[in-house]
Amino acid sequence: MQNKKKVLPEIYNFLRPKQTKNLARFGTNKDGGYIIDSIAINKIDHFVSFGMADEFSFEIDFLKDKKINTLQIYDYSVNHKNYLSNIFKILRRTITFRANPKHLSSVILKYLSFLKFIYNKRVSFYPLKITKNIQNKSEIDLDGVFDKINQSINDIGVKIDIEGDEYNILNEVIKYSKKINILIIEFHNIEKNNKIFLNFMHKLIEIFDVIHIHGNNHDFIRSDGFPNVIEITLVNKKNNLSYVDFPRSFPIEGLDFPNNPLCADIEINFS
């Protein structure tokens, strides 16, 4: 059952977004799209994405925004082997009449889209896992990530959607916060990590302003009315953005869309 007009406890009031008149959506109108501020993102030429899977419409929109924009993407779960394994699996099922040929065409096209994207000269794709303490060659920490970025770049965007591993790198995010102009984080399993989440967000709002919040309806709503998975967009205070409103209720019509289009979106109501 979806949250209907249930007001959040006051403990969450500090997360109430400051809204600009320049909000825009980058990415698809479902899971994978996020809200940004067009003025703040216009100051950014480089974006780092942690977690992509097979949905990279946000990153494509960022590349389209300016011809000089560049991307770094880190996702150890995405590789050629996984794509090809799925293609051959569907091929076998198609040959034995257990799968629709359209399904085979779909997975092949998805792989071709992936290839076209990662081999774009403005995209650097690393099949590495983001971690705090490196254990093997398939992992990298934030120090390693920022070492790969041209040191003359002082305004970058960061998107973090790494299925719960975000809690392992929160302190490192603070460490590099002066270079981060826009920060988008999807927090998972807040039911288990509520105290960590709230403590981290209190630290973040000393440096950033929350400009948008959206519940992911692929997961449940906690008993206090807060989503178990939440997408938050923050902008560094150094942007000195002009705020025109402080809305109490979300989602915003025309900007927000359900992550799962088959279910109603999650309502968030601040007191």
Side-chain angles (χ1 to χ4, degrees):
M1 183 179 293
Q2 298 294 322
N3 178 20
K4 294 184 178 180
K5 300 301 180 184
K6 182 171 183 177
V7 177
L8 294 176
E10 291 185 1
I11 190 173
Y12 295 108
N13 279 353
F14 77 103
L15 295 174
R16 183 179 167 190
K18 301 176 180 180
Q19 185 173 307
T20 77
K21 63 180 180 180
N22 305 300
L23 293 182
R25 187 179 185 90
F26 273 21
T28 181
N29 289 345
K30 55 183 179 180
D31 201 10
Y34 297 91
I35 306 303
I36 52 88
D37 176 85
S38 57
I39 290 180
I41 207 160
N42 193 51
K43 299 177 182 178
I44 295 172
D45 298 331
H46 189 74
F47 218 101
V48 181
S49 286
F50 301 133
M52 180 182 75
D54 61 356
E55 182 15 78
F56 36 87
S57 59
F58 175 91
E59 288 78 6
I60 289 176
D61 280 353
F62 176 73
L63 290 180
K64 290 179 179 178
D65 191 50
K66 294 201 303 287
K67 291 184 178 180
I68 61 172
N69 284 357
T70 55
L71 280 165
Q72 277 178 268
I73 299 173
Y74 295 85
D75 195 327
Y76 74 103
S77 69
V78 182
N79 54 59
H80 300 284
K81 180 180 178 180
N82 289 346
Y83 273 102
L84 292 172
S85 176
N86 191 38
I87 288 172
F88 285 117
K89 175 183 176 182
I90 302 302
L91 176 61
R92 288 193 297 270
R93 293 179 62 86
T94 302
I95 292 173
T96 56
F97 304 102
R98 292 179 295 156
N100 191 317
K102 290 183 178 180
H103 189 190
L104 178 61
S105 297
S106 175
V107 295
I108 291 174
L109 287 174
K110 184 173 287 189
Y111 180 48
L112 293 176
S113 296
F114 169 72
L115 293 176
K116 180 180 178 181
F117 177 65
I118 65 169
Y119 289 122
N120 185 313
K121 64 181 181 180
R122 293 192 283 148
V123 176
S124 298
F125 174 72
Y126 302 95
L128 301 173
K129 181 178 182 179
I130 304 301
T131 186
K132 181 179 180 180
N133 300 307
I134 298 174
Q135 302 294 326
N136 55 63
K137 293 181 179 180
S138 65
E139 297 178 341
I140 190 170
D141 58 15
L142 257 66
D143 289 337
V145 170
F146 276 82
D147 283 345
K148 293 180 182 291
I149 299 173
N150 189 316
Q151 296 305 302
S152 66
I153 299 177
N154 293 313
D155 291 300
I156 69 168
V158 173
K159 178 174 74 72
I160 303 173
D161 182 6
I162 49 178
E163 307 302 323
D165 286 335
E166 62 271 13
Y167 297 103
N168 297 326
I169 61 170
L170 297 183
N171 289 332
E172 284 66 36
V173 171
I174 295 289
K175 175 181 176 181
Y176 288 101
S177 58
K178 289 184 179 180
K179 282 185 169 285
I180 301 173
N181 205 41
I182 291 182
L183 176 62
I184 301 170
I185 308 183
E186 182 164 271
F187 289 95
H188 301 79
N189 200 1
I190 292 176
E191 181 81 8
K192 177 182 177 181
N193 300 289
N194 191 248
K195 288 184 178 180
I196 298 173
F197 165 71
L198 291 175
N199 288 337
F200 176 64
M201 287 305 303
H202 274 293
K203 293 178 182 178
L204 269 190
I205 63 169
E206 295 178 6
I207 307 161
F208 295 89
D209 290 326
V210 176
I211 64 166
H212 194 70
I213 193 167
H214 180 254
N216 187 329
N217 69 340
H218 277 295
D219 215 317
F220 65 91
I221 302 167
R222 302 174 65 242
S223 59
D224 63 3
F226 201 78
N228 193 47
V229 177
I230 194 84
E231 303 163 347
I232 300 180
T233 303
L234 305 103
V235 171
N236 199 301
K237 292 179 184 292
K238 67 183 180 181
N239 286 278
N240 293 316
L241 296 181
S242 296
Y243 297 110
V244 296
D245 196 10
F246 299 90
R248 294 183 182 274
S249 298
F250 296 83
I252 298 176
E253 186 176 356
L255 274 179
D256 287 315
F257 298 89
N259 296 68
N260 178 0
L262 300 179
C263 298
D265 217 344
I266 295 176
E267 289 191 13
I268 298 175
N269 300 291
F270 292 94
S271 60

Short mmCIF file of all heavy atoms in Angstrom, two decimals, residues 28-67:
data_model
loop_
_atom_site.label_atom_id
_atom_site.label_comp_id
_atom_site.label_asym_id
_atom_site.label_seq_id
_atom_site.Cartn_x
_atom_site.Cartn_y
_atom_site.Cartn_z
N THR A 28 15.59 8.85 -18.28
CA THR A 28 14.28 8.30 -18.60
C THR A 28 13.21 8.70 -17.59
O THR A 28 13.52 9.08 -16.46
CB THR A 28 14.37 6.76 -18.68
OG1 THR A 28 13.11 6.22 -19.02
CG2 THR A 28 14.82 6.18 -17.33
N ASN A 29 11.95 8.56 -18.00
CA ASN A 29 10.82 8.85 -17.11
C ASN A 29 10.43 7.62 -16.30
O ASN A 29 9.25 7.28 -16.15
CB ASN A 29 9.61 9.36 -17.91
CG ASN A 29 9.81 10.76 -18.46
OD1 ASN A 29 10.71 11.48 -18.04
ND2 ASN A 29 8.98 11.14 -19.40
N LYS A 30 11.44 6.96 -15.77
CA LYS A 30 11.25 5.83 -14.86
C LYS A 30 12.57 5.64 -14.11
O LYS A 30 13.34 6.60 -13.99
CB LYS A 30 10.82 4.57 -15.61
CG LYS A 30 11.74 4.15 -16.73
CD LYS A 30 11.19 2.92 -17.47
CE LYS A 30 12.10 2.50 -18.61
NZ LYS A 30 11.58 1.30 -19.32
N ASP A 31 12.83 4.45 -13.61
CA ASP A 31 14.06 4.21 -12.86
C ASP A 31 15.28 4.52 -13.72
O ASP A 31 15.43 3.98 -14.82
CB ASP A 31 14.10 2.74 -12.42
CG ASP A 31 15.04 2.51 -11.24
OD1 ASP A 31 15.49 3.50 -10.65
OD2 ASP A 31 15.28 1.34 -10.90
N GLY A 32 16.15 5.42 -13.23
CA GLY A 32 17.32 5.81 -13.99
C GLY A 32 17.35 7.29 -14.33
O GLY A 32 18.38 7.82 -14.74
N GLY A 33 16.21 7.98 -14.16
CA GLY A 33 16.16 9.41 -14.37
C GLY A 33 16.26 10.15 -13.04
O GLY A 33 15.78 9.67 -12.01
N TYR A 34 16.91 11.33 -13.06
CA TYR A 34 17.11 12.11 -11.84
C TYR A 34 16.88 13.59 -12.11
O TYR A 34 17.03 14.06 -13.24
CB TYR A 34 18.52 11.90 -11.28
CG TYR A 34 18.82 10.48 -10.86
CD1 TYR A 34 19.37 9.57 -11.77
CD2 TYR A 34 18.53 10.04 -9.57
CE1 TYR A 34 19.64 8.26 -11.39
CE2 TYR A 34 18.80 8.73 -9.19
CZ TYR A 34 19.35 7.85 -10.10
OH TYR A 34 19.60 6.55 -9.73
N ILE A 35 16.57 14.32 -11.04
CA ILE A 35 16.31 15.75 -11.14
C ILE A 35 17.60 16.53 -10.84
O ILE A 35 18.30 16.23 -9.88
CB ILE A 35 15.20 16.19 -10.16
CG1 ILE A 35 13.94 15.34 -10.38
CG2 ILE A 35 14.90 17.67 -10.32
CD1 ILE A 35 13.40 15.38 -11.79
N ILE A 36 17.87 17.53 -11.69
CA ILE A 36 19.04 18.39 -11.52
C ILE A 36 18.62 19.85 -11.60
O ILE A 36 17.47 20.17 -11.92
CB ILE A 36 20.13 18.08 -12.59
CG1 ILE A 36 19.55 18.12 -14.02
CG2 ILE A 36 20.72 16.71 -12.34
CD1 ILE A 36 19.54 19.46 -14.68
N ASP A 37 19.52 20.75 -11.28
CA ASP A 37 19.31 22.19 -11.51
C ASP A 37 20.10 22.57 -12.75
O ASP A 37 21.32 22.32 -12.82
CB ASP A 37 19.77 23.01 -10.30
CG ASP A 37 19.64 24.50 -10.56
OD1 ASP A 37 18.54 25.05 -10.35
OD2 ASP A 37 20.64 25.10 -10.97
N SER A 38 19.45 23.16 -13.73
CA SER A 38 20.09 23.42 -15.02
C SER A 38 21.22 24.44 -14.92
O SER A 38 22.19 24.37 -15.68
CB SER A 38 19.05 23.87 -16.05
OG SER A 38 18.35 25.01 -15.60
N ILE A 39 21.11 25.41 -14.01
CA ILE A 39 22.18 26.40 -13.85
C ILE A 39 23.42 25.74 -13.22
O ILE A 39 24.54 25.95 -13.69
CB ILE A 39 21.71 27.59 -13.00
CG1 ILE A 39 20.69 28.41 -13.79
CG2 ILE A 39 22.89 28.46 -12.60
CD1 ILE A 39 20.15 29.62 -13.03
N ALA A 40 23.21 24.95 -12.18
CA ALA A 40 24.33 24.30 -11.51
C ALA A 40 25.03 23.30 -12.43
O ALA A 40 26.25 23.23 -12.47
CB ALA A 40 23.85 23.61 -10.24
N ILE A 41 24.24 22.55 -13.20
CA ILE A 41 24.87 21.54 -14.06
C ILE A 41 25.56 22.18 -15.25
O ILE A 41 26.48 21.59 -15.84
CB ILE A 41 23.83 20.49 -14.52
CG1 ILE A 41 24.54 19.17 -14.81
CG2 ILE A 41 23.03 20.97 -15.73
CD1 ILE A 41 23.66 17.95 -14.81
N ASN A 42 25.16 23.39 -15.60
CA ASN A 42 25.82 24.10 -16.70
C ASN A 42 27.26 24.47 -16.36
O ASN A 42 28.09 24.70 -17.24
CB ASN A 42 25.04 25.35 -17.07
CG ASN A 42 25.49 25.96 -18.39
OD1 ASN A 42 25.59 25.28 -19.40
ND2 ASN A 42 25.80 27.24 -18.37
N LYS A 43 27.58 24.51 -15.05
CA LYS A 43 28.93 24.82 -14.60
C LYS A 43 29.83 23.59 -14.60
O LYS A 43 31.03 23.69 -14.34
CB LYS A 43 28.89 25.42 -13.19
CG LYS A 43 28.10 26.71 -13.08
CD LYS A 43 28.06 27.19 -11.64
CE LYS A 43 27.24 28.47 -11.49
NZ LYS A 43 27.16 28.93 -10.09
N ILE A 44 29.24 22.44 -14.89
CA ILE A 44 29.96 21.17 -14.82
C ILE A 44 30.30 20.67 -16.21
O ILE A 44 29.45 20.65 -17.11
CB ILE A 44 29.11 20.10 -14.10
CG1 ILE A 44 28.88 20.50 -12.64
CG2 ILE A 44 29.77 18.73 -14.18
CD1 ILE A 44 27.90 19.59 -11.94
N ASP A 45 31.55 20.28 -16.40
CA ASP A 45 31.98 19.67 -17.66
C ASP A 45 32.31 18.19 -17.49
O ASP A 45 32.54 17.49 -18.49
CB ASP A 45 33.22 20.38 -18.21
CG ASP A 45 32.97 21.85 -18.52
OD1 ASP A 45 31.81 22.19 -18.83
OD2 ASP A 45 33.92 22.64 -18.44
N HIS A 46 32.33 17.72 -16.25
CA HIS A 46 32.73 16.34 -15.99
C HIS A 46 31.83 15.73 -14.92
O HIS A 46 31.57 16.35 -13.88
CB HIS A 46 34.18 16.28 -15.53
CG HIS A 46 34.74 14.89 -15.45
ND1 HIS A 46 35.07 14.16 -16.56
CD2 HIS A 46 35.01 14.11 -14.38
CE1 HIS A 46 35.54 12.98 -16.19
NE2 HIS A 46 35.51 12.92 -14.86
N PHE A 47 31.34 14.52 -15.21
CA PHE A 47 30.46 13.83 -14.27
C PHE A 47 31.02 12.44 -13.99
O PHE A 47 31.51 11.77 -14.90
CB PHE A 47 29.04 13.70 -14.85
CG PHE A 47 27.94 13.89 -13.86
CD1 PHE A 47 27.25 15.09 -13.78
CD2 PHE A 47 27.58 12.86 -12.98
CE1 PHE A 47 26.24 15.26 -12.86
CE2 PHE A 47 26.58 13.03 -12.06
CZ PHE A 47 25.90 14.23 -12.00
N VAL A 48 30.93 12.02 -12.73
CA VAL A 48 31.36 10.69 -12.33
C VAL A 48 30.13 9.92 -11.85
O VAL A 48 29.41 10.37 -10.97
CB VAL A 48 32.41 10.75 -11.19
CG1 VAL A 48 32.85 9.34 -10.82
CG2 VAL A 48 33.61 11.59 -11.60
N SER A 49 29.91 8.77 -12.47
CA SER A 49 28.77 7.92 -12.09
C SER A 49 29.27 6.63 -11.45
O SER A 49 30.06 5.90 -12.06
CB SER A 49 27.92 7.59 -13.31
OG SER A 49 27.15 8.70 -13.73
N PHE A 50 28.80 6.37 -10.25
CA PHE A 50 29.07 5.11 -9.57
C PHE A 50 27.79 4.27 -9.65
O PHE A 50 26.80 4.58 -9.00
CB PHE A 50 29.45 5.33 -8.11
CG PHE A 50 30.67 6.19 -7.92
CD1 PHE A 50 30.67 7.23 -7.00
CD2 PHE A 50 31.82 5.97 -8.67
CE1 PHE A 50 31.80 8.02 -6.82
CE2 PHE A 50 32.94 6.76 -8.50
CZ PHE A 50 32.93 7.79 -7.57
N GLY A 51 27.83 3.22 -10.46
CA GLY A 51 26.65 2.38 -10.65
C GLY A 51 25.88 2.79 -11.89
O GLY A 51 25.41 3.92 -11.99
N MET A 52 25.76 1.87 -12.83
CA MET A 52 25.07 2.17 -14.08
C MET A 52 24.13 1.04 -14.49
O MET A 52 23.04 1.29 -14.97
CB MET A 52 26.10 2.41 -15.18
CG MET A 52 25.52 2.73 -16.53
SD MET A 52 26.79 2.95 -17.81
CE MET A 52 27.29 1.25 -18.11
N ALA A 53 24.54 -0.21 -14.31
CA ALA A 53 23.81 -1.38 -14.78
C ALA A 53 23.58 -1.23 -16.28
O ALA A 53 24.48 -0.85 -17.02
CB ALA A 53 22.52 -1.56 -14.00
N ASP A 54 22.35 -1.50 -16.75
CA ASP A 54 22.09 -1.38 -18.19
C ASP A 54 21.23 -0.16 -18.49
O ASP A 54 20.61 -0.08 -19.55
CB ASP A 54 21.43 -2.66 -18.73
CG ASP A 54 20.09 -2.95 -18.06
OD1 ASP A 54 19.70 -2.22 -17.13
OD2 ASP A 54 19.43 -3.92 -18.48
N GLU A 55 21.17 0.80 -17.56
CA GLU A 55 20.36 2.00 -17.73
C GLU A 55 21.25 3.23 -17.61
O GLU A 55 21.70 3.56 -16.53
CB GLU A 55 19.25 1.99 -16.66
CG GLU A 55 18.21 3.08 -16.62
CD GLU A 55 18.07 3.98 -17.82
OE1 GLU A 55 17.46 3.55 -18.81
OE2 GLU A 55 18.57 5.12 -17.77
N PHE A 56 21.55 3.87 -18.73
CA PHE A 56 22.47 5.00 -18.73
C PHE A 56 21.89 6.21 -19.45
O PHE A 56 22.60 6.99 -20.05
CB PHE A 56 23.83 4.60 -19.33
CG PHE A 56 23.75 3.64 -20.48
CD1 PHE A 56 23.59 4.10 -21.79
CD2 PHE A 56 23.84 2.28 -20.26
CE1 PHE A 56 23.53 3.22 -22.85
CE2 PHE A 56 23.77 1.38 -21.33
CZ PHE A 56 23.61 1.85 -22.63
N SER A 57 20.57 6.36 -19.37
CA SER A 57 19.91 7.50 -20.02
C SER A 57 20.29 8.82 -19.36
O SER A 57 20.37 9.86 -20.04
CB SER A 57 18.39 7.33 -20.01
OG SER A 57 17.89 7.21 -18.70
N PHE A 58 20.53 8.81 -18.04
CA PHE A 58 20.97 10.03 -17.36
C PHE A 58 22.30 10.50 -17.93
O PHE A 58 22.49 11.68 -18.24
CB PHE A 58 21.10 9.78 -15.85
CG PHE A 58 21.66 10.97 -15.09
CD1 PHE A 58 20.82 11.92 -14.55
CD2 PHE A 58 23.03 11.12 -14.92
CE1 PHE A 58 21.32 13.02 -13.85
CE2 PHE A 58 23.56 12.21 -14.23
CZ PHE A 58 22.69 13.16 -13.70
N GLU A 59 23.22 9.58 -18.06
CA GLU A 59 24.55 9.90 -18.57
C GLU A 59 24.49 10.39 -20.03
O GLU A 59 25.22 11.30 -20.43
CB GLU A 59 25.46 8.69 -18.44
CG GLU A 59 25.89 8.35 -17.02
CD GLU A 59 24.83 7.65 -16.20
OE1 GLU A 59 23.76 7.29 -16.77
OE2 GLU A 59 25.03 7.45 -14.99
N ILE A 60 23.63 9.78 -20.82
CA ILE A 60 23.49 10.21 -22.21
C ILE A 60 22.97 11.65 -22.29
O ILE A 60 23.46 12.46 -23.08
CB ILE A 60 22.55 9.25 -22.98
CG1 ILE A 60 23.25 7.91 -23.20
CG2 ILE A 60 22.12 9.86 -24.32
CD1 ILE A 60 22.38 6.86 -23.85
N ASP A 61 22.00 11.98 -21.44
CA ASP A 61 21.47 13.35 -21.42
C ASP A 61 22.54 14.35 -20.98
O ASP A 61 22.58 15.48 -21.46
CB ASP A 61 20.25 13.45 -20.51
CG ASP A 61 18.98 12.95 -21.20
OD1 ASP A 61 19.04 12.66 -22.40
OD2 ASP A 61 17.94 12.86 -20.53
N PHE A 62 23.41 13.92 -20.07
CA PHE A 62 24.50 14.81 -19.65
C PHE A 62 25.45 15.08 -20.82
O PHE A 62 25.88 16.22 -21.03
CB PHE A 62 25.27 14.22 -18.48
CG PHE A 62 26.47 15.03 -18.07
CD1 PHE A 62 26.31 16.24 -17.40
CD2 PHE A 62 27.76 14.61 -18.38
CE1 PHE A 62 27.42 17.01 -17.05
CE2 PHE A 62 28.86 15.36 -18.02
CZ PHE A 62 28.69 16.57 -17.36
N LEU A 63 25.77 14.06 -21.59
CA LEU A 63 26.64 14.24 -22.76
C LEU A 63 25.99 15.16 -23.79
O LEU A 63 26.66 15.98 -24.42
CB LEU A 63 26.97 12.90 -23.40
CG LEU A 63 27.89 11.96 -22.63
CD1 LEU A 63 28.10 10.67 -23.42
CD2 LEU A 63 29.24 12.61 -22.32
N LYS A 64 24.69 15.04 -23.96
CA LYS A 64 23.97 15.86 -24.92
C LYS A 64 23.89 17.32 -24.48
O LYS A 64 23.76 18.22 -25.31
CB LYS A 64 22.55 15.33 -25.11
CG LYS A 64 22.46 14.01 -25.86
CD LYS A 64 21.01 13.56 -25.97
CE LYS A 64 20.89 12.25 -26.74
NZ LYS A 64 19.48 11.78 -26.81
N ASP A 65 23.98 17.56 -23.16
CA ASP A 65 23.79 18.91 -22.62
C ASP A 65 24.83 19.89 -23.15
O ASP A 65 24.52 21.02 -23.48
CB ASP A 65 23.84 18.85 -21.09
CG ASP A 65 23.40 20.17 -20.45
OD1 ASP A 65 22.33 20.68 -20.83
OD2 ASP A 65 24.13 20.67 -19.59
N LYS A 66 26.11 19.44 -23.20
CA LYS A 66 27.18 20.27 -23.77
C LYS A 66 28.17 19.35 -24.49
O LYS A 66 28.50 18.27 -23.99
CB LYS A 66 27.93 21.06 -22.67
CG LYS A 66 27.09 22.11 -21.97
CD LYS A 66 27.98 23.17 -21.30
CE LYS A 66 28.96 22.62 -20.30
NZ LYS A 66 28.35 22.19 -19.05
N LYS A 67 28.67 19.80 -25.63
CA LYS A 67 29.55 18.98 -26.44
C LYS A 67 30.91 18.73 -25.79
O LYS A 67 31.64 17.84 -26.20
CB LYS A 67 29.74 19.61 -27.82
CG LYS A 67 28.49 19.57 -28.67
CD LYS A 67 28.75 20.12 -30.06
CE LYS A 67 27.50 20.03 -30.92
NZ LYS A 67 27.71 20.56 -32.29
#
